[in-house]
Amino acid sequence: MRTGHQHESATETDTAHLMAGKAVTFDELATELSAIELRLRQLARAAEVPATPVELADVIDSLRSTALTVRENGEHMGFLARVVDGQVPLATAFPTGDPWGVAARASDRMDFGGPAIVPTVRQLFKLAQDATRAGTKTTTYPEAMTGLGIGWESRAAGTRRDMERHTAVAKESLLLTCEKCGANEGQPCRTKSGWAADVAHSDRRRAAEAIVDERLGYLGKNPVAVPEAR
């Protein structure tokens, strides 16, 4: 059982204390965001009378504004908790007639980023709103998403992984020599005129990519096995 203030470290990857299972639930996100919002409002109140007289009005306003944003996100997570539990009726399709979830597989929707196989928060809000209209055919999230989610990770996670891979490749490149320009370990590649380049020559970069991808367990840029994916 988790207890309060059970933080293993101060690193971004330390997330175990945020969840009871292998992955964080929307209910847990809502609770954590509520705690952050309260903490921000408490800090804003405390900052009204700091130990040293400095006017912190702008900081206080910023803290309270951030707290409002956090509260909105928390409310959204609370709504999603009810959605994924099947408590909120959802329209089976968007106003355009485009399906979502399992029904969107193999569809050729081109607008709005393609088929909404995995819907966004905004799309779920819209589907819930449309479901209240008379005559609208409805479903629930569990029904519409049955069979989906295996091996899935969010777009944000994919973008972060790509950035981490890019950084790792750049560092690894400097550990290799470059046959193209003769740059040694620790030296950047150079142009024919001798200017240092921010990006390594292709052969040096490809060699670094192969090393990094093997270390990360990637096939090309794609993870072979993503620990956080489900």
PDB file of all heavy atoms in Angstrom, residues 152-191:
ATOM      1  N   TRP A 152      -0.335  -0.090 -27.519  1.00  0.00           N
ATOM      2  CA  TRP A 152      -0.528   1.326 -27.840  1.00  0.00           C
ATOM      3  C   TRP A 152       0.219   2.216 -26.859  1.00  0.00           C
ATOM      4  O   TRP A 152       0.345   1.909 -25.683  1.00  0.00           O
ATOM      5  CB  TRP A 152      -2.015   1.661 -27.775  1.00  0.00           C
ATOM      6  CG  TRP A 152      -2.311   3.115 -28.018  1.00  0.00           C
ATOM      7  CD1 TRP A 152      -2.455   3.733 -29.223  1.00  0.00           C
ATOM      8  CD2 TRP A 152      -2.482   4.144 -27.031  1.00  0.00           C
ATOM      9  NE1 TRP A 152      -2.707   5.063 -29.061  1.00  0.00           N
ATOM     10  CE2 TRP A 152      -2.724   5.342 -27.715  1.00  0.00           C
ATOM     11  CE3 TRP A 152      -2.446   4.149 -25.633  1.00  0.00           C
ATOM     12  CZ2 TRP A 152      -2.945   6.549 -27.059  1.00  0.00           C
ATOM     13  CZ3 TRP A 152      -2.659   5.348 -24.976  1.00  0.00           C
ATOM     14  CH2 TRP A 152      -2.906   6.529 -25.688  1.00  0.00           C
ATOM     15  N   GLU A 153       0.765   3.340 -27.366  1.00  0.00           N
ATOM     16  CA  GLU A 153       1.304   4.384 -26.506  1.00  0.00           C
ATOM     17  C   GLU A 153       0.899   5.721 -27.094  1.00  0.00           C
ATOM     18  O   GLU A 153       0.637   5.831 -28.292  1.00  0.00           O
ATOM     19  CB  GLU A 153       2.824   4.289 -26.367  1.00  0.00           C
ATOM     20  CG  GLU A 153       3.613   4.610 -27.624  1.00  0.00           C
ATOM     21  CD  GLU A 153       5.101   4.723 -27.351  1.00  0.00           C
ATOM     22  OE1 GLU A 153       5.499   4.705 -26.179  1.00  0.00           O
ATOM     23  OE2 GLU A 153       5.861   4.836 -28.318  1.00  0.00           O
ATOM     24  N   SER A 154       0.825   6.730 -26.276  1.00  0.00           N
ATOM     25  CA  SER A 154       0.344   8.028 -26.715  1.00  0.00           C
ATOM     26  C   SER A 154       1.313   8.691 -27.687  1.00  0.00           C
ATOM     27  O   SER A 154       2.497   8.366 -27.741  1.00  0.00           O
ATOM     28  CB  SER A 154       0.142   8.949 -25.501  1.00  0.00           C
ATOM     29  OG  SER A 154       1.394   9.287 -24.935  1.00  0.00           O
ATOM     30  N   ARG A 155       0.779   9.653 -28.441  1.00  0.00           N
ATOM     31  CA  ARG A 155       1.608  10.422 -29.360  1.00  0.00           C
ATOM     32  C   ARG A 155       2.684  11.184 -28.605  1.00  0.00           C
ATOM     33  O   ARG A 155       3.813  11.316 -29.075  1.00  0.00           O
ATOM     34  CB  ARG A 155       0.726  11.393 -30.143  1.00  0.00           C
ATOM     35  CG  ARG A 155       1.455  12.157 -31.240  1.00  0.00           C
ATOM     36  CD  ARG A 155       0.511  13.115 -31.935  1.00  0.00           C
ATOM     37  NE  ARG A 155      -0.659  12.431 -32.460  1.00  0.00           N
ATOM     38  CZ  ARG A 155      -1.718  13.053 -32.979  1.00  0.00           C
ATOM     39  NH1 ARG A 155      -1.746  14.385 -33.016  1.00  0.00           N
ATOM     40  NH2 ARG A 155      -2.751  12.366 -33.434  1.00  0.00           N
ATOM     41  N   ALA A 156       2.333  11.680 -27.409  1.00  0.00           N
ATOM     42  CA  ALA A 156       3.315  12.415 -26.599  1.00  0.00           C
ATOM     43  C   ALA A 156       4.484  11.516 -26.218  1.00  0.00           C
ATOM     44  O   ALA A 156       5.645  11.939 -26.233  1.00  0.00           O
ATOM     45  CB  ALA A 156       2.647  12.971 -25.341  1.00  0.00           C
ATOM     46  N   ALA A 157       4.181  10.250 -25.860  1.00  0.00           N
ATOM     47  CA  ALA A 157       5.240   9.320 -25.493  1.00  0.00           C
ATOM     48  C   ALA A 157       6.126   9.016 -26.690  1.00  0.00           C
ATOM     49  O   ALA A 157       7.354   8.941 -26.582  1.00  0.00           O
ATOM     50  CB  ALA A 157       4.649   8.026 -24.948  1.00  0.00           C
ATOM     51  N   GLY A 158       5.500   8.858 -27.864  1.00  0.00           N
ATOM     52  CA  GLY A 158       6.270   8.598 -29.071  1.00  0.00           C
ATOM     53  C   GLY A 158       7.195   9.763 -29.416  1.00  0.00           C
ATOM     54  O   GLY A 158       8.343   9.555 -29.809  1.00  0.00           O
ATOM     55  N   THR A 159       6.683  10.995 -29.268  1.00  0.00           N
ATOM     56  CA  THR A 159       7.496  12.180 -29.547  1.00  0.00           C
ATOM     57  C   THR A 159       8.668  12.271 -28.576  1.00  0.00           C
ATOM     58  O   THR A 159       9.797  12.581 -28.965  1.00  0.00           O
ATOM     59  CB  THR A 159       6.639  13.449 -29.440  1.00  0.00           C
ATOM     60  OG1 THR A 159       5.576  13.381 -30.399  1.00  0.00           O
ATOM     61  CG2 THR A 159       7.469  14.700 -29.689  1.00  0.00           C
ATOM     62  N   ARG A 160       8.393  11.990 -27.297  1.00  0.00           N
ATOM     63  CA  ARG A 160       9.472  12.028 -26.302  1.00  0.00           C
ATOM     64  C   ARG A 160      10.534  10.977 -26.608  1.00  0.00           C
ATOM     65  O   ARG A 160      11.733  11.256 -26.543  1.00  0.00           O
ATOM     66  CB  ARG A 160       8.899  11.798 -24.901  1.00  0.00           C
ATOM     67  CG  ARG A 160       9.981  11.636 -23.819  1.00  0.00           C
ATOM     68  CD  ARG A 160       9.387  11.413 -22.450  1.00  0.00           C
ATOM     69  NE  ARG A 160       8.492  10.281 -22.390  1.00  0.00           N
ATOM     70  CZ  ARG A 160       8.906   9.007 -22.348  1.00  0.00           C
ATOM     71  NH1 ARG A 160      10.203   8.711 -22.408  1.00  0.00           N
ATOM     72  NH2 ARG A 160       8.031   8.028 -22.268  1.00  0.00           N
ATOM     73  N   ARG A 161      10.106   9.784 -26.961  1.00  0.00           N
ATOM     74  CA  ARG A 161      11.058   8.720 -27.277  1.00  0.00           C
ATOM     75  C   ARG A 161      11.927   9.098 -28.479  1.00  0.00           C
ATOM     76  O   ARG A 161      13.122   8.804 -28.520  1.00  0.00           O
ATOM     77  CB  ARG A 161      10.318   7.410 -27.553  1.00  0.00           C
ATOM     78  CG  ARG A 161       9.686   6.799 -26.321  1.00  0.00           C
ATOM     79  CD  ARG A 161       8.981   5.492 -26.659  1.00  0.00           C
ATOM     80  NE  ARG A 161       8.249   4.985 -25.514  1.00  0.00           N
ATOM     81  CZ  ARG A 161       8.816   4.376 -24.484  1.00  0.00           C
ATOM     82  NH1 ARG A 161      10.127   4.211 -24.471  1.00  0.00           N
ATOM     83  NH2 ARG A 161       8.094   3.956 -23.478  1.00  0.00           N
ATOM     84  N   ASP A 162      11.306   9.730 -29.477  1.00  0.00           N
ATOM     85  CA  ASP A 162      12.044  10.138 -30.664  1.00  0.00           C
ATOM     86  C   ASP A 162      13.102  11.178 -30.311  1.00  0.00           C
ATOM     87  O   ASP A 162      14.233  11.132 -30.820  1.00  0.00           O
ATOM     88  CB  ASP A 162      11.079  10.698 -31.707  1.00  0.00           C
ATOM     89  CG  ASP A 162      11.733  10.885 -33.065  1.00  0.00           C
ATOM     90  OD1 ASP A 162      12.404   9.937 -33.528  1.00  0.00           O
ATOM     91  OD2 ASP A 162      11.580  11.964 -33.659  1.00  0.00           O
ATOM     92  N   MET A 163      12.753  12.112 -29.424  1.00  0.00           N
ATOM     93  CA  MET A 163      13.707  13.133 -29.000  1.00  0.00           C
ATOM     94  C   MET A 163      14.844  12.506 -28.196  1.00  0.00           C
ATOM     95  O   MET A 163      16.016  12.880 -28.359  1.00  0.00           O
ATOM     96  CB  MET A 163      12.995  14.208 -28.182  1.00  0.00           C
ATOM     97  CG  MET A 163      12.019  15.051 -28.981  1.00  0.00           C
ATOM     98  SD  MET A 163      11.148  16.281 -27.967  1.00  0.00           S
ATOM     99  CE  MET A 163      12.529  17.267 -27.389  1.00  0.00           C
ATOM    100  N   GLU A 164      14.508  11.566 -27.318  1.00  0.00           N
ATOM    101  CA  GLU A 164      15.522  10.889 -26.515  1.00  0.00           C
ATOM    102  C   GLU A 164      16.470  10.097 -27.411  1.00  0.00           C
ATOM    103  O   GLU A 164      17.683  10.072 -27.196  1.00  0.00           O
ATOM    104  CB  GLU A 164      14.861   9.967 -25.493  1.00  0.00           C
ATOM    105  CG  GLU A 164      14.133  10.722 -24.389  1.00  0.00           C
ATOM    106  CD  GLU A 164      13.347   9.806 -23.471  1.00  0.00           C
ATOM    107  OE1 GLU A 164      13.210   8.596 -23.813  1.00  0.00           O
ATOM    108  OE2 GLU A 164      12.872  10.271 -22.425  1.00  0.00           O
ATOM    109  N   ARG A 165      15.908   9.450 -28.437  1.00  0.00           N
ATOM    110  CA  ARG A 165      16.728   8.691 -29.380  1.00  0.00           C
ATOM    111  C   ARG A 165      17.652   9.629 -30.140  1.00  0.00           C
ATOM    112  O   ARG A 165      18.842   9.342 -30.335  1.00  0.00           O
ATOM    113  CB  ARG A 165      15.833   7.927 -30.358  1.00  0.00           C
ATOM    114  CG  ARG A 165      16.607   7.155 -31.445  1.00  0.00           C
ATOM    115  CD  ARG A 165      15.640   6.456 -32.385  1.00  0.00           C
ATOM    116  NE  ARG A 165      16.340   5.690 -33.393  1.00  0.00           N
ATOM    117  CZ  ARG A 165      16.722   6.178 -34.571  1.00  0.00           C
ATOM    118  NH1 ARG A 165      16.465   7.449 -34.877  1.00  0.00           N
ATOM    119  NH2 ARG A 165      17.348   5.404 -35.454  1.00  0.00           N
ATOM    120  N   HIS A 166      17.116  10.770 -30.591  1.00  0.00           N
ATOM    121  CA  HIS A 166      17.917  11.749 -31.338  1.00  0.00           C
ATOM    122  C   HIS A 166      19.103  12.236 -30.502  1.00  0.00           C
ATOM    123  O   HIS A 166      20.229  12.333 -30.998  1.00  0.00           O
ATOM    124  CB  HIS A 166      17.042  12.939 -31.732  1.00  0.00           C
ATOM    125  CG  HIS A 166      17.762  14.016 -32.464  1.00  0.00           C
ATOM    126  ND1 HIS A 166      18.094  13.937 -33.796  1.00  0.00           N
ATOM    127  CD2 HIS A 166      18.257  15.219 -32.030  1.00  0.00           C
ATOM    128  CE1 HIS A 166      18.751  15.030 -34.168  1.00  0.00           C
ATOM    129  NE2 HIS A 166      18.857  15.817 -33.114  1.00  0.00           N
ATOM    130  N   THR A 167      18.836  12.533 -29.227  1.00  0.00           N
ATOM    131  CA  THR A 167      19.906  12.991 -28.331  1.00  0.00           C
ATOM    132  C   THR A 167      20.952  11.902 -28.121  1.00  0.00           C
ATOM    133  O   THR A 167      22.158  12.173 -28.126  1.00  0.00           O
ATOM    134  CB  THR A 167      19.313  13.411 -26.969  1.00  0.00           C
ATOM    135  OG1 THR A 167      18.384  14.473 -27.168  1.00  0.00           O
ATOM    136  CG2 THR A 167      20.412  13.878 -26.016  1.00  0.00           C
ATOM    137  N   ALA A 168      20.479  10.660 -27.943  1.00  0.00           N
ATOM    138  CA  ALA A 168      21.393   9.548 -27.724  1.00  0.00           C
ATOM    139  C   ALA A 168      22.272   9.300 -28.945  1.00  0.00           C
ATOM    140  O   ALA A 168      23.466   9.014 -28.824  1.00  0.00           O
ATOM    141  CB  ALA A 168      20.608   8.290 -27.379  1.00  0.00           C
ATOM    142  N   VAL A 169      21.686   9.420 -30.145  1.00  0.00           N
ATOM    143  CA  VAL A 169      22.446   9.217 -31.385  1.00  0.00           C
ATOM    144  C   VAL A 169      23.516  10.303 -31.527  1.00  0.00           C
ATOM    145  O   VAL A 169      24.654  10.018 -31.934  1.00  0.00           O
ATOM    146  CB  VAL A 169      21.504   9.218 -32.606  1.00  0.00           C
ATOM    147  CG1 VAL A 169      22.303   9.311 -33.905  1.00  0.00           C
ATOM    148  CG2 VAL A 169      20.649   7.970 -32.611  1.00  0.00           C
ATOM    149  N   ALA A 170      23.165  11.539 -31.206  1.00  0.00           N
ATOM    150  CA  ALA A 170      24.132  12.635 -31.303  1.00  0.00           C
ATOM    151  C   ALA A 170      25.316  12.407 -30.368  1.00  0.00           C
ATOM    152  O   ALA A 170      26.482  12.631 -30.742  1.00  0.00           O
ATOM    153  CB  ALA A 170      23.449  13.960 -30.969  1.00  0.00           C
ATOM    154  N   LYS A 171      25.043  11.934 -29.147  1.00  0.00           N
ATOM    155  CA  LYS A 171      26.120  11.650 -28.190  1.00  0.00           C
ATOM    156  C   LYS A 171      26.962  10.464 -28.641  1.00  0.00           C
ATOM    157  O   LYS A 171      28.192  10.474 -28.533  1.00  0.00           O
ATOM    158  CB  LYS A 171      25.542  11.388 -26.805  1.00  0.00           C
ATOM    159  CG  LYS A 171      24.924  12.604 -26.143  1.00  0.00           C
ATOM    160  CD  LYS A 171      24.392  12.257 -24.765  1.00  0.00           C
ATOM    161  CE  LYS A 171      23.808  13.483 -24.069  1.00  0.00           C
ATOM    162  NZ  LYS A 171      23.260  13.157 -22.727  1.00  0.00           N
ATOM    163  N   GLU A 172      26.292   9.440 -29.160  1.00  0.00           N
ATOM    164  CA  GLU A 172      26.995   8.232 -29.600  1.00  0.00           C
ATOM    165  C   GLU A 172      27.899   8.530 -30.793  1.00  0.00           C
ATOM    166  O   GLU A 172      28.977   7.947 -30.929  1.00  0.00           O
ATOM    167  CB  GLU A 172      25.982   7.144 -29.962  1.00  0.00           C
ATOM    168  CG  GLU A 172      26.582   5.772 -30.188  1.00  0.00           C
ATOM    169  CD  GLU A 172      27.164   5.167 -28.918  1.00  0.00           C
ATOM    170  OE1 GLU A 172      26.575   5.376 -27.842  1.00  0.00           O
ATOM    171  OE2 GLU A 172      28.202   4.487 -29.018  1.00  0.00           O
ATOM    172  N   SER A 173      27.464   9.446 -31.664  1.00  0.00           N
ATOM    173  CA  SER A 173      28.251   9.804 -32.840  1.00  0.00           C
ATOM    174  C   SER A 173      29.632  10.320 -32.452  1.00  0.00           C
ATOM    175  O   SER A 173      30.634  10.035 -33.118  1.00  0.00           O
ATOM    176  CB  SER A 173      27.518  10.868 -33.667  1.00  0.00           C
ATOM    177  OG  SER A 173      26.309  10.376 -34.176  1.00  0.00           O
ATOM    178  N   LEU A 174      29.672  11.060 -31.337  1.00  0.00           N
ATOM    179  CA  LEU A 174      30.937  11.636 -30.895  1.00  0.00           C
ATOM    180  C   LEU A 174      31.872  10.589 -30.300  1.00  0.00           C
ATOM    181  O   LEU A 174      33.046  10.878 -30.057  1.00  0.00           O
ATOM    182  CB  LEU A 174      30.683  12.744 -29.872  1.00  0.00           C
ATOM    183  CG  LEU A 174      30.013  14.011 -30.428  1.00  0.00           C
ATOM    184  CD1 LEU A 174      29.717  14.990 -29.306  1.00  0.00           C
ATOM    185  CD2 LEU A 174      30.907  14.675 -31.475  1.00  0.00           C
ATOM    186  N   LEU A 175      31.367   9.401 -30.066  1.00  0.00           N
ATOM    187  CA  LEU A 175      32.214   8.323 -29.542  1.00  0.00           C
ATOM    188  C   LEU A 175      32.848   7.520 -30.669  1.00  0.00           C
ATOM    189  O   LEU A 175      33.687   6.645 -30.423  1.00  0.00           O
ATOM    190  CB  LEU A 175      31.395   7.385 -28.648  1.00  0.00           C
ATOM    191  CG  LEU A 175      30.734   8.021 -27.426  1.00  0.00           C
ATOM    192  CD1 LEU A 175      29.922   6.981 -26.660  1.00  0.00           C
ATOM    193  CD2 LEU A 175      31.797   8.631 -26.513  1.00  0.00           C
ATOM    194  N   LEU A 176      32.459   7.839 -31.905  1.00  0.00           N
ATOM    195  CA  LEU A 176      32.967   7.136 -33.074  1.00  0.00           C
ATOM    196  C   LEU A 176      33.837   8.057 -33.911  1.00  0.00           C
ATOM    197  O   LEU A 176      33.723   9.274 -33.836  1.00  0.00           O
ATOM    198  CB  LEU A 176      31.797   6.631 -33.939  1.00  0.00           C
ATOM    199  CG  LEU A 176      30.736   5.784 -33.234  1.00  0.00           C
ATOM    200  CD1 LEU A 176      29.579   5.520 -34.197  1.00  0.00           C
ATOM    201  CD2 LEU A 176      31.335   4.481 -32.733  1.00  0.00           C
ATOM    202  N   THR A 177      34.702   7.466 -34.722  1.00  0.00           N
ATOM    203  CA  THR A 177      35.477   8.258 -35.680  1.00  0.00           C
ATOM    204  C   THR A 177      34.684   8.355 -36.973  1.00  0.00           C
ATOM    205  O   THR A 177      33.823   7.514 -37.258  1.00  0.00           O
ATOM    206  CB  THR A 177      36.838   7.601 -35.973  1.00  0.00           C
ATOM    207  OG1 THR A 177      36.624   6.284 -36.471  1.00  0.00           O
ATOM    208  CG2 THR A 177      37.684   7.548 -34.715  1.00  0.00           C
ATOM    209  N   CYS A 178      34.940   9.378 -37.743  1.00  0.00           N
ATOM    210  CA  CYS A 178      34.234   9.578 -39.010  1.00  0.00           C
ATOM    211  C   CYS A 178      35.192   9.362 -40.166  1.00  0.00           C
ATOM    212  O   CYS A 178      36.186  10.083 -40.304  1.00  0.00           O
ATOM    213  CB  CYS A 178      33.642  10.984 -39.078  1.00  0.00           C
ATOM    214  SG  CYS A 178      32.719  11.300 -40.609  1.00  0.00           S
ATOM    215  N   GLU A 179      34.910   8.368 -41.005  1.00  0.00           N
ATOM    216  CA  GLU A 179      35.760   8.076 -42.153  1.00  0.00           C
ATOM    217  C   GLU A 179      35.636   9.144 -43.232  1.00  0.00           C
ATOM    218  O   GLU A 179      36.535   9.313 -44.049  1.00  0.00           O
ATOM    219  CB  GLU A 179      35.393   6.710 -42.729  1.00  0.00           C
ATOM    220  CG  GLU A 179      35.648   5.548 -41.766  1.00  0.00           C
ATOM    221  CD  GLU A 179      35.323   4.212 -42.396  1.00  0.00           C
ATOM    222  OE1 GLU A 179      34.927   4.217 -43.589  1.00  0.00           O
ATOM    223  OE2 GLU A 179      35.453   3.186 -41.704  1.00  0.00           O
ATOM    224  N   LYS A 180      34.517   9.877 -43.234  1.00  0.00           N
ATOM    225  CA  LYS A 180      34.272  10.890 -44.255  1.00  0.00           C
ATOM    226  C   LYS A 180      35.178  12.103 -44.088  1.00  0.00           C
ATOM    227  O   LYS A 180      35.802  12.569 -45.050  1.00  0.00           O
ATOM    228  CB  LYS A 180      32.812  11.335 -44.200  1.00  0.00           C
ATOM    229  CG  LYS A 180      32.417  12.379 -45.239  1.00  0.00           C
ATOM    230  CD  LYS A 180      32.308  11.778 -46.607  1.00  0.00           C
ATOM    231  CE  LYS A 180      31.742  12.778 -47.599  1.00  0.00           C
ATOM    232  NZ  LYS A 180      31.602  12.210 -48.959  1.00  0.00           N
ATOM    233  N   CYS A 181      35.250  12.632 -42.849  1.00  0.00           N
ATOM    234  CA  CYS A 181      36.028  13.853 -42.643  1.00  0.00           C
ATOM    235  C   CYS A 181      37.219  13.652 -41.721  1.00  0.00           C
ATOM    236  O   CYS A 181      38.012  14.575 -41.499  1.00  0.00           O
ATOM    237  CB  CYS A 181      35.141  14.960 -42.098  1.00  0.00           C
ATOM    238  SG  CYS A 181      34.478  14.635 -40.443  1.00  0.00           S
ATOM    239  N   GLY A 182      37.358  12.444 -41.134  1.00  0.00           N
ATOM    240  CA  GLY A 182      38.496  12.159 -40.271  1.00  0.00           C
ATOM    241  C   GLY A 182      38.328  12.630 -38.850  1.00  0.00           C
ATOM    242  O   GLY A 182      39.297  12.599 -38.067  1.00  0.00           O
ATOM    243  N   ALA A 183      37.120  13.033 -38.463  1.00  0.00           N
ATOM    244  CA  ALA A 183      36.899  13.473 -37.086  1.00  0.00           C
ATOM    245  C   ALA A 183      37.126  12.314 -36.127  1.00  0.00           C
ATOM    246  O   ALA A 183      36.648  11.202 -36.353  1.00  0.00           O
ATOM    247  CB  ALA A 183      35.484  14.008 -36.928  1.00  0.00           C
ATOM    248  N   ASN A 184      37.900  12.560 -35.075  1.00  0.00           N
ATOM    249  CA  ASN A 184      38.180  11.530 -34.086  1.00  0.00           C
ATOM    250  C   ASN A 184      37.123  11.535 -32.983  1.00  0.00           C
ATOM    251  O   ASN A 184      36.229  12.387 -32.964  1.00  0.00           O
ATOM    252  CB  ASN A 184      39.575  11.742 -33.483  1.00  0.00           C
ATOM    253  CG  ASN A 184      40.672  11.540 -34.500  1.00  0.00           C
ATOM    254  OD1 ASN A 184      40.626  10.594 -35.292  1.00  0.00           O
ATOM    255  ND2 ASN A 184      41.658  12.432 -34.501  1.00  0.00           N
ATOM    256  N   GLU A 185      37.252  10.624 -32.043  1.00  0.00           N
ATOM    257  CA  GLU A 185      36.325  10.545 -30.923  1.00  0.00           C
ATOM    258  C   GLU A 185      36.289  11.865 -30.167  1.00  0.00           C
ATOM    259  O   GLU A 185      37.335  12.440 -29.843  1.00  0.00           O
ATOM    260  CB  GLU A 185      36.746   9.418 -29.980  1.00  0.00           C
ATOM    261  CG  GLU A 185      35.828   9.243 -28.785  1.00  0.00           C
ATOM    262  CD  GLU A 185      36.264   8.095 -27.889  1.00  0.00           C
ATOM    263  OE1 GLU A 185      36.981   7.206 -28.362  1.00  0.00           O
ATOM    264  OE2 GLU A 185      35.891   8.102 -26.697  1.00  0.00           O
ATOM    265  N   GLY A 186      35.099  12.359 -29.908  1.00  0.00           N
ATOM    266  CA  GLY A 186      34.928  13.622 -29.193  1.00  0.00           C
ATOM    267  C   GLY A 186      34.937  14.842 -30.089  1.00  0.00           C
ATOM    268  O   GLY A 186      34.659  15.949 -29.626  1.00  0.00           O
ATOM    269  N   GLN A 187      35.241  14.657 -31.368  1.00  0.00           N
ATOM    270  CA  GLN A 187      35.283  15.779 -32.306  1.00  0.00           C
ATOM    271  C   GLN A 187      34.057  15.776 -33.212  1.00  0.00           C
ATOM    272  O   GLN A 187      33.621  14.715 -33.668  1.00  0.00           O
ATOM    273  CB  GLN A 187      36.550  15.714 -33.173  1.00  0.00           C
ATOM    274  CG  GLN A 187      37.848  15.835 -32.414  1.00  0.00           C
ATOM    275  CD  GLN A 187      39.052  15.711 -33.333  1.00  0.00           C
ATOM    276  OE1 GLN A 187      38.993  15.066 -34.381  1.00  0.00           O
ATOM    277  NE2 GLN A 187      40.153  16.335 -32.935  1.00  0.00           N
ATOM    278  N   PRO A 188      33.497  16.950 -33.504  1.00  0.00           N
ATOM    279  CA  PRO A 188      32.354  17.006 -34.430  1.00  0.00           C
ATOM    280  C   PRO A 188      32.826  16.817 -35.864  1.00  0.00           C
ATOM    281  O   PRO A 188      33.999  17.035 -36.175  1.00  0.00           O
ATOM    282  CB  PRO A 188      31.810  18.424 -34.208  1.00  0.00           C
ATOM    283  CG  PRO A 188      33.029  19.217 -33.835  1.00  0.00           C
ATOM    284  CD  PRO A 188      33.860  18.296 -32.991  1.00  0.00           C
ATOM    285  N   CYS A 189      31.919  16.436 -36.721  1.00  0.00           N
ATOM    286  CA  CYS A 189      32.259  16.336 -38.136  1.00  0.00           C
ATOM    287  C   CYS A 189      32.489  17.734 -38.693  1.00  0.00           C
ATOM    288  O   CYS A 189      31.985  18.724 -38.150  1.00  0.00           O
ATOM    289  CB  CYS A 189      31.123  15.639 -38.899  1.00  0.00           C
ATOM    290  SG  CYS A 189      31.024  13.863 -38.630  1.00  0.00           S
ATOM    291  N   ARG A 190      33.261  17.799 -39.773  1.00  0.00           N
ATOM    292  CA  ARG A 190      33.583  19.092 -40.366  1.00  0.00           C
ATOM    293  C   ARG A 190      33.307  19.091 -41.859  1.00  0.00           C
ATOM    294  O   ARG A 190      33.360  18.056 -42.515  1.00  0.00           O
ATOM    295  CB  ARG A 190      35.045  19.461 -40.098  1.00  0.00           C
ATOM    296  CG  ARG A 190      35.332  19.722 -38.620  1.00  0.00           C
ATOM    297  CD  ARG A 190      36.738  20.228 -38.371  1.00  0.00           C
ATOM    298  NE  ARG A 190      36.947  20.551 -36.971  1.00  0.00           N
ATOM    299  CZ  ARG A 190      36.602  21.702 -36.407  1.00  0.00           C
ATOM    300  NH1 ARG A 190      36.049  22.655 -37.152  1.00  0.00           N
ATOM    301  NH2 ARG A 190      36.817  21.916 -35.124  1.00  0.00           N
ATOM    302  N   THR A 191      33.012  20.281 -42.366  1.00  0.00           N
ATOM    303  CA  THR A 191      32.794  20.445 -43.803  1.00  0.00           C
ATOM    304  C   THR A 191      34.136  20.426 -44.516  1.00  0.00           C
ATOM    305  O   THR A 191      35.199  20.422 -43.880  1.00  0.00           O
ATOM    306  CB  THR A 191      32.081  21.772 -44.094  1.00  0.00           C
ATOM    307  OG1 THR A 191      32.947  22.863 -43.718  1.00  0.00           O
ATOM    308  CG2 THR A 191      30.788  21.879 -43.303  1.00  0.00           C
TER     309      THR A 191
END
